[in-house]
Amino acid sequence: RNVLALERRLFASVPTSTSLSLLSTALKRKQVAPNGKSASTTAAQANTTQHETSTGSLRLLLSSLAFVAVFLLYQYPAPLKQAAELWLGRPTDQLPGTSKSTYIGLEADAPKQAAVVNAMRGLHMVAISIEFMKEDALLTSPERDAMGSDEYHPISRNGSNLTTRRRDREYQRARSWVANNMTLDRDANFNTFETTIRVLGGLLSAYHLSGEDPLFLEKARELADRILPVFDTPSGLPLSMINLAQRKGVADDDNQGLISTAEASTLQLEFRYLSLLTDEDIYWKKAEQVMAVIRAARMPPGLASIFMNPRDGRFVTSAIRLGSRGDSYYEYLLKQYVQTNLEEPVYREMYDDAVQAIHDHLIRRGMSTGLTYTSELIPERSPLGDISWRLTPKQDFLVCFFAGTLMLGATTSGALMHPVSIPPLPEQLTEQGRRDWKTGYELLRTCMATHDTQTGLAPEIAYFRIPSDGMDEMLGAAPRDWYIKGARPGAFPPYDARYILRPETVESLLVAFRLTGDERYREWGWNIFRAIETHCKVPSGGYAAIINVDEVPARQEDKMETFLMSETFKYLFLLFSDGDTLPLSKYVFNTEAHPLPIFSPTIRTGFS
């Protein structure tokens, strides 16, 4: 309707005489000069008519071109922008998401860094335990109410089960808690994946960053020994749960004994680093066997479904996606390659194979603005038992990690030289590397587009428009590109509409900034931080999830996930820090944002 109205306005601006000029010119050219008028007069009239005709035709042509240009810009903004960049010559010396005019280098932004530090103060809980403690009246609210808990409830002010990073006093308090209060002899079932990435990863990172304080390594080794029994399955794939006291792996009955692909393949950074520190290869071999099983079970497209069977080591027919239960599988393929200083090509091969399949089957573009997003493949079984796959235009907030993964992969797996410059240049990357960089940047722009809400925060799940969705017929003002499914004015918001303090977008912003030194990524991160401060901060201390990102004032939920401190605020802190603070050339972050050092492996196994 907007385009048609624009068309009417454009053509209304053209004089009526102009629209008839061609017809009148043809008629006049056929007329014979009447008696009483000289030939020169007739010629002059003809010249005047021709001039008017030319002017009118030019106006008509320009108006038509203006309409076409506006129509194309409305329908296809991204391709036209890319064409313009090609015409201007930009890609010959710059990659998308980089610009000489916005390059600021990797110096710290002290004021913004200080703002993030102030937000972190009072939230220094040790993210490596399952205990609850109240003691010192001098402690800040979350620390006093939930020290040692895995989750904080900022409104009711208690914990239900974070490592510190403040000054020496806070560090010593946390260290004392680990030494005197943290016990791993827990007779209960804990998630193998979460315990590894949060607790084991946190202890190993604390060991390295503390100057190798043996307390943290001792605790890490004890914990890993308690976790090892989960690998005692016929295939070597781990079980989903571990009873720490009984040292016994436990199958997940809720998922019929299956384990999610992400959970099985996101233990490797932690166990491999522990093996390096202890010179015990059992940790390395157990974790690496999982990758060997996954590689042998490769599905033909190169994608991984979200569940595997620990009994036979095969993928189970289930959804294929980069969101929950699939996400960190793809993340750790690249990070295992990076962790061992690019010296294990098997992980590069697996990563390249997966990324190619993602481009072939999951990457799509929005129907109006051309936003790049990742879709999901959902299996459907016919009455005859045949399986078909339905492509669904759904993207979890979690998927935003993949933008930074692709950009980091482009400068490692997809690089022709090491290290690449900051920002990287097109000639430093392979064709695949340039493709992955471009997709990563475009996906990051999409993630920022989903922050275009009333609160400036993105929803848990976004759906993207497709031509067959029928929304234009059902709704008077249908969204152009993405929407929150089930959101209706006056109704209680669907779960998809929530923001639960997730870090994945700022994680990718950090990677993008460290690789480019481009100020746009800091600006985007600052906008997200201000939105969190405005809508999620609780006056009595802490931060809360919000129920609807498109509602102001925001309704808060009495829940603060530990990844706010461990990941979201840590990534924001590093985004505004200088490039020498935990540089990507020396560290790889586990999926809970615990930094682990890059090293050359001393242990070699058959798989490697």
Side-chain angles (χ1 to χ4, degrees), residues 166-180:
R166 205 168 156 192
R167 310 273 188 266
D168 185 65
R169 183 184 63 179
E170 287 78 6
Y171 165 74
Q172 291 299 335
R173 248 193 334 243
R175 186 191 184 283
S176 175
W177 186 88
V178 173
N180 302 315

Side-chain angles (χ1 to χ4, degrees), residues 52-317:
E52 291 176 351
T53 300
S54 300
T55 302
S57 298
L58 180 60
R59 288 176 179 172
L60 179 62
L61 176 62
L62 290 176
S63 298
S64 300
L65 289 175
F67 166 71
V68 172
V70 171
F71 177 80
L72 290 175
L73 282 171
Y74 182 84
Q75 290 291 337
Y76 311 106
L80 284 178
K81 180 182 177 184
Q82 294 164 11
E85 289 178 346
L86 282 170
W87 182 58
L88 294 172
R90 174 175 173 175
T92 61
D93 61 352
Q94 292 178 211
L95 291 166
T98 69
S99 173
K100 294 176 183 177
S101 64
T102 52
Y103 174 79
I104 59 173
L106 301 182
E107 297 297 320
D109 186 329
K112 291 184 174 64
Q113 184 187 50
V116 177
V117 170
N118 286 334
M120 296 168 74
R121 284 188 177 137
L123 301 181
H124 298 284
M125 300 171 284
V126 181
I128 48 179
S129 74
I130 312 131
E131 189 160 322
F132 180 80
M133 182 185 80
K134 292 186 180 180
E135 54 170 338
D136 191 344
L138 298 177
L139 299 180
T140 51
S141 296
E143 195 173 12
R144 179 188 64 244
D145 299 333
M147 182 70 162
S149 301
D150 284 338
E151 185 177 276
Y152 181 52
H153 303 286
I155 298 173
S156 56
R157 300 175 65 180
N158 60 66
S160 61
N161 285 337
L162 203 131
T163 173
T164 103
R165 180 320 350 91
R166 205 168 156 192
R167 310 273 188 266
D168 185 65
R169 183 184 63 179
E170 287 78 6
Y171 165 74
Q172 291 299 335
R173 248 193 334 243
R175 186 191 184 283
S176 175
W177 186 88
V178 173
N180 302 315
N181 298 83
M182 179 183 179
T183 175
L184 299 172
D185 191 31
R186 298 289 183 170
D187 192 8
N189 296 336
F190 301 97
N191 183 274
T192 303
F193 160 76
E194 297 288 359
T195 304
T196 300
I197 66 171
R198 299 184 185 217
V199 187
L200 183 58
L203 287 167
L204 291 171
S205 185
Y207 170 73
H208 174 78
L209 296 175
S210 66
E212 301 186 350
D213 186 328
L215 168 68
F216 299 117
L217 182 57
E218 291 168 9
K219 286 286 187 181
R221 185 168 187 168
E222 178 190 351
L223 177 59
D225 288 341
R226 292 177 181 272
I227 293 175
L228 279 178
V230 299
F231 297 101
D232 295 338
T233 64
S235 68
L237 293 181
L239 295 172
S240 293
M241 311 293 287
I242 179 65
N243 186 302
L244 293 175
Q246 298 180 24
R247 303 187 181 217
K248 177 183 177 181
V250 180
D252 184 1
D253 292 335
D254 291 341
N255 290 305
Q256 301 176 328
L258 304 177
I259 185 168
S260 78
T261 303
E263 289 179 327
S265 59
T266 314
L267 317 169
Q268 285 66 28
L269 295 186
E270 297 80 3
F271 276 85
R272 284 158 31 120
Y273 182 48
L274 179 61
S275 187
L276 175 78
L277 296 177
T278 61
D279 202 28
E280 294 286 348
D281 63 0
I282 185 172
Y283 308 118
W284 189 296
K285 288 183 176 180
K286 291 290 187 181
E288 192 171 59
Q289 173 61 20
V290 174
M291 301 310 299
V293 170
I294 292 175
R295 189 185 190 209
R298 179 187 181 275
M299 296 170 64
L303 297 170
S305 60
I306 61 172
F307 282 109
M308 299 191 75
N309 191 330
R311 293 181 290 277
D312 60 17
R314 295 181 179 276
F315 286 104
V316 176
T317 301

Side-chain angles (χ1 to χ4, degrees), residues 108-118 120 526 572-574 576-578 581:
D109 186 329
K112 291 184 174 64
Q113 184 187 50
V116 177
V117 170
N118 286 334
M120 296 168 74
W526 182 245
L572 284 166
F573 171 82
L574 293 173
F576 299 114
S577 300
D578 63 75
T581 304

Side-chain angles (χ1 to χ4, degrees), residues 262-447:
E263 289 179 327
S265 59
T266 314
L267 317 169
Q268 285 66 28
L269 295 186
E270 297 80 3
F271 276 85
R272 284 158 31 120
Y273 182 48
L274 179 61
S275 187
L276 175 78
L277 296 177
T278 61
D279 202 28
E280 294 286 348
D281 63 0
I282 185 172
Y283 308 118
W284 189 296
K285 288 183 176 180
K286 291 290 187 181
E288 192 171 59
Q289 173 61 20
V290 174
M291 301 310 299
V293 170
I294 292 175
R295 189 185 190 209
R298 179 187 181 275
M299 296 170 64
L303 297 170
S305 60
I306 61 172
F307 282 109
M308 299 191 75
N309 191 330
R311 293 181 290 277
D312 60 17
R314 295 181 179 276
F315 286 104
V316 176
T317 301
S318 50
I320 294 174
R321 61 180 179 234
L322 271 66
S324 61
R325 300 189 180 276
D327 50 356
S328 50
Y329 162 67
Y330 302 97
E331 175 189 357
Y332 267 39
L333 287 179
L334 177 65
K335 288 186 174 180
Q336 287 179 85
Y337 179 55
V338 172
Q339 182 187 35
T340 49
N341 204 28
L342 314 184
E343 295 179 23
E344 294 183 283
V346 65
Y347 296 113
R348 174 181 179 174
E349 295 165 6
M350 293 177 71
Y351 171 78
D352 289 347
D353 181 50
V355 171
Q356 182 62 55
I358 290 168
H359 275 92
D360 291 343
H361 300 286
L362 301 184
I363 297 291
R364 294 292 182 269
R365 291 186 182 278
M367 58 183 278
S368 293
T369 58
L371 292 175
T372 296
Y373 66 92
T374 67
S375 50
E376 298 184 1
L377 284 169
I378 308 298
E380 295 180 335
R381 191 179 298 273
S382 72
L384 299 177
D386 298 326
I387 295 176
S388 61
W389 294 85
R390 174 171 52 86
L391 196 65
T392 302
K394 167 181 173 285
Q395 180 173 291
D396 293 1
F397 190 112
L398 287 165
V399 176
C400 290
F401 87 92
F402 194 57
T405 296
L406 284 173
M407 297 175 85
L408 181 62
T411 60
T412 51
S413 176
L416 293 169
M417 57 182 291
H418 299 286
V420 298
S421 62
I422 300 175
L425 301 174
E427 60 266 26
Q428 297 172 338
L429 307 182
T430 64
E431 181 179 356
Q432 171 191 306
R434 293 191 295 273
R435 176 203 66 185
D436 292 352
W437 180 278
K438 178 174 177 288
T439 302
Y441 172 65
E442 290 177 350
L443 183 58
L444 185 51
R445 288 181 61 245
T446 300
C447 292

